[in-house]
Amino acid sequence: MKNRFKTWMIYLLLAFILCLPLFVWFWKPSTPLNLVVIDKTVPLDDFREHLGLFWVLHHTKVVDDEDKKLYEKEVDYYGYHPERSEGDDVLEVEESPDLIYVADTYGVYEADFDGNFTGERSEKIYGGLTFFEWNRILASKSEHTTLIVEFNTIQSPTEENVRSIVERNLSIQWTGWIGRYFPDLDDIEVPIWLKTNYEKQTNNEWTFKGPGLTFVNENDYVVVLEEEDITGSVKFYWTELGKSHYNEKRESEYSYWFDIIEPGPEMEAEGMYSLMLTDTGEEILNEHEIPTTFPAILKHKEESIYYFAGDFADIKQDHWAKWVLPSPIYSLMAILNKDEQFFWEVYIPLMKVILHEANSQKTSSQSVGA
Amino acid sequence: MGKIKNRLITFIVWFIFLGSFGFAGGGLFLLFAVVPFEEMLVQRGYTQTQIDDVLKYVVFGWIAFGFIVSFLFYLFVWKRKKKWALGITAVTVLAAVSVLLMFIRTDSALIAMSRGDFQQTGERFTFGPYPEEELLIQLKEEGYVGVITLLSPTLPFENQLLQQEIERGEKVGMPIHSFPMLPWVGDNTESINGIKSLVSSEEGKFYIHCYLGKHRVDMVKQVIMSVTDAELEQRTTIFPSDFQRGPVYLFNDAKVIVGPYPTREEWGILIRNRVKEIVSFIDPDSSRGKELKEIAESSDLVLTTVSNQSLEQVASYVQELDEKVYVTDFRSDSTLLDLETILRRSHEPINRSLFSSEEAKFIGSWGVISSSLFDQDTLREAGIKTVITVTSQAISSLEALKEEGVQVLSFSNETLDTSASQYEFLQSIGEESGPVYLYVEGTEELVTSLHRMMQGLYYGIDEEEGQFPSTVSVVEYDLLTGAPLDEKQWEDFVLFNGVKEVIFLYAPSIHSEDLVAQQEELASRYQVSFTMIPMFEDYREQLYEKLQGLKGTKYIIAPEEVKEELMDVLTDY
């Protein structure tokens, strides 16, 4: 009888220990923040372009300042809504939100509704950041508002004049190039438009195989680095400034689309991309004036304004977020989800700090107001 | 047998000459004579029916001319010098082939010179010339649902272009709807009915074109306007303050519009703005009067002729109407200006003929400004009810008028030495009752300056008299747009020209809060009306609402980056 009781107690204790991360999350106080999320690239109900952001919001227990409920990835954003097949067209933002996050404005295209596994280009249905939306964002932004703009916001189909205004406001300059590392250039992941543009440009068939780096500029000019031109994928590393800001030293591979941005005088790089190249690879990039290291995370020197030069919030699958564990668990998750290494190693720690700071700024602005 | 053979050869040569000469000469005659002639008729305000009547004879005239030339060719060349005749025929055949190639190559320089512009009517319809493949792709990308082609397969080169267009449409995935029409000659009723039925039954945007994008598309444009009138009910529109023949005045929330006799394009603006009745001072028996009747009938407009009625009766009639009305005379002459005074200020106009134009400057038909002191009888006869004197000393001779109930206001001319003080003075006298006489003792320069400012405050700016910074663009005589202004520009431009209202299209992504505060402060300092409209999604509606019916000169401060779009918004009639 006594032994059975002991056994049960052990089981209970084990269960408690196992559930402790969940209990801690439930016991933890929530962080009310007034957030505005913009994502125009939601053709399907996977919400992948802002999935990573909402995971972090749930994980850090950020709730809506108004109703104190967790943000819902299905409804709490401005953009295209696949369930009703229409996009929002008037961005009504309350004055002075705590954080504005422009996740993606690329938009929704006809072929997207069938999955568009080949990445074929088709007629635009909705997309591009408008001059009016950007005005709304800046009009609502106050000193304590954190503004995060992520790739793809200023690229096509956003009009050129809007892009140059955003660039001026953010103190950045897009070089016109975007790029991506592919583990296999023959894979279906390589979009068909990239192959077609290359074939049109060179009159050669796309016969690449194996890992490679691809770059495309705004005029659809394609540059391909094959296996022999590279020594690895795209690496992310923190600058000294980044390390001091986030207290993070973990490097990571970055495996999705990025844009090559030059910071203006008011922006500084906290995180960088580095391309792993052979001498030939470097020569090819030099020919096209493509740098081999360039900013991944840019922060304004004076204000809480960030530019993320990649699809940082884009993750393929949703994970259970309501738990609290020490941060090395993220590295374990990164090992288990190789494709999402950057999300676990970099994006989560990065966003945790930014959200914490946004909350501090809100609190201090409220105390000043009081 | 030999005779028959000779006759056959003669006929063949004559026929080839007639055909090639008629085609080559006809093509060039079309481009360099008929099209410019038609444009001239359009500019002069002739109706489509009148133009068709004239050009029909021009076309038949050319055919007759071709036959005459070919008979002369037979009599004087073929009969006498056969080798010469064969040479000439060869030249005309070559010329015909060249002209055919020129017409088929729609990107050739000669065709490009004569091609019409792209014109958009509302959200759904764009009119223009023959589309190349690139344009079809672009239309597809921009979400157009179809192309309406008016090319006629009876014309050899148009037949080839039509086939080419259909093939390209299939390739691009753009439906091509063929409704063949012939310019000036032939009955196009069937095609017009087909177009009406298509655009009524199918939603979406269409590109409509003929060969040059000038004549046939204009005919279709008018049809489209009548069909889509119901759609336009939903659309917010702006009305121009200036037609080709003179200014346009709006009253009662733009329900009563007074303006000159419209050109063909301007009739379209009236229809798009849902005008239902035309009130005309034009003699109904004159050629212009008959033309007006024809236009009113074809556009389902009620036509009321008021050439025998007093202006007061006309004013009272148009103000009581429920529907939108356009009151017109051939030009914005004194009749319309006098009517404007009655509608604007509810009093009789000044009898302007009592004042010499050398001595007096007029503000509409309700104000006269002069450095000459007119005698009391003239002022009485002119119906002046308010006398404002700007002098160094009070004028005692006006006392008698005062006793008769005329309002006399006296101001000192010593302080009116800057644009700011003059503007402030004119703002302070406000809209006085009855016809106003402003007597300015002093230099003619001060009279000119006050007159210019009053014109600006109540009507608009004369481009020749006005003074503009290089950053300012004139949209219409009472509407200008440009960059934010510094203090000096406010004085030298806004005040100098009598700008009534400054509207700031505020773009937070471009304008700093300090700049907004500065512009607001300057407006307040100089007592200029100032409105700020944020450049959000609904700025166009807010701007239209603000501009509609706002009299006097308006200056819109707008970001340079959206200047082109703004010009489209401000001229989207």
Side-chain angles (χ1 to χ4, degrees), chain B residues 123-196:
Chain B
E123 298 287 311
R124 288 186 63 196
F125 304 102
T126 302
F127 300 87
Y130 182 80
E132 296 297 336
E133 190 171 332
E134 293 76 38
L135 181 60
L136 288 178
I137 294 167
Q138 192 188 330
L139 293 170
K140 176 85 182 161
E141 283 171 359
E142 288 175 9
Y144 280 73
V145 296
V147 169
I148 296 175
T149 174
L150 311 177
L151 296 184
S152 173
T154 51
L155 301 174
F157 68 95
E158 288 206 349
N159 185 31
Q160 189 165 343
L161 288 172
L162 179 60
Q163 295 313 318
Q164 185 178 285
E165 186 183 0
I166 291 167
E167 281 167 24
R168 284 174 177 171
E170 278 170 13
K171 186 177 159 197
V172 171
M174 173 65 77
I176 307 289
H177 306 277
S178 171
F179 293 100
M181 284 174 72
L182 279 171
W184 313 304
V185 289
D187 184 8
N188 295 314
T189 317
E190 200 181 318
S191 289
I192 285 176
N193 288 339
I195 294 167
K196 274 184 182 178

Side-chain angles (χ1 to χ4, degrees), chain B residues 20-167:
Chain B
S20 56
F21 174 80
F23 183 77
L28 297 173
F29 181 65
L30 173 81
L31 276 186
F32 298 111
V34 180
V35 170
F37 180 56
E38 191 201 9
E39 278 173 4
M40 189 196 75
L41 295 178
V42 170
Q43 290 292 321
R44 294 195 174 185
Y46 285 89
T47 63
Q48 193 59 56
T49 320
Q50 287 171 321
I51 293 171
D52 286 351
D53 282 347
V54 173
L55 291 182
K56 193 158 53 188
Y57 292 112
V58 173
V59 172
F60 288 134
W62 174 259
I63 294 169
F65 177 71
F67 272 97
I68 292 167
V69 170
S70 66
F71 277 113
L72 293 174
F73 166 81
Y74 167 72
L75 287 174
F76 296 107
V77 188
W78 176 252
K79 273 195 156 183
R80 295 179 187 181
K81 300 214 170 192
K82 293 225 167 16
K83 280 186 183 169
W84 279 54
L86 288 172
I88 290 170
T89 308
V91 169
T92 56
V93 167
L94 273 175
V97 171
S98 307
V99 169
L100 180 67
L101 288 175
M102 180 184 79
F103 275 104
I104 290 170
R105 282 182 55 96
T106 50
D107 55 350
S108 68
L110 273 175
I111 299 301
M113 265 166 53
S114 308
R115 219 165 20 215
D117 296 327
F118 293 97
Q119 296 172 45
Q120 196 155 2
T121 300
E123 298 287 311
R124 288 186 63 196
F125 304 102
T126 302
F127 300 87
Y130 182 80
E132 296 297 336
E133 190 171 332
E134 293 76 38
L135 181 60
L136 288 178
I137 294 167
Q138 192 188 330
L139 293 170
K140 176 85 182 161
E141 283 171 359
E142 288 175 9
Y144 280 73
V145 296
V147 169
I148 296 175
T149 174
L150 311 177
L151 296 184
S152 173
T154 51
L155 301 174
F157 68 95
E158 288 206 349
N159 185 31
Q160 189 165 343
L161 288 172
L162 179 60
Q163 295 313 318
Q164 185 178 285
E165 186 183 0
I166 291 167
E167 281 167 24

Side-chain angles (χ1 to χ4, degrees), chain A residues 78-140:
Chain A
Y78 170 90
Y80 193 81
H81 297 272
E83 73 288 355
R84 49 177 209 263
S85 302
E86 65 175 11
D88 297 320
D89 53 8
V90 178
L91 176 61
E92 280 166 1
V93 187
E94 275 178 44
E95 206 177 313
S96 191
D98 302 312
L99 191 144
I100 303 171
Y101 196 115
V102 188
D104 206 299
T105 66
Y106 176 67
V108 172
Y109 296 77
E110 247 178 23
D112 294 344
F113 297 120
D114 308 323
N116 196 13
F117 300 112
T118 54
E120 145 198 13
R121 277 183 179 168
S122 56
E123 197 181 317
K124 184 180 90 175
I125 290 165
Y126 175 77
L129 179 72
T130 70
F131 177 55
F132 307 122
E133 288 161 349
W134 185 242
N135 277 337
R136 291 255 190 199
I137 289 169
L138 292 197
S140 66

Side-chain angles (χ1 to χ4, degrees), chain A residues 89 91 132 135-136 168-169, chain B residues 508-509 535-537 561-562:
Chain A
D89 53 8
L91 176 61
F132 307 122
N135 277 337
R136 291 255 190 199
R168 202 163 61 219
N169 293 148
Chain B
S509 61
M535 287 210 78
F536 297 157
E537 298 81 355
E561 288 83 345
V562 293

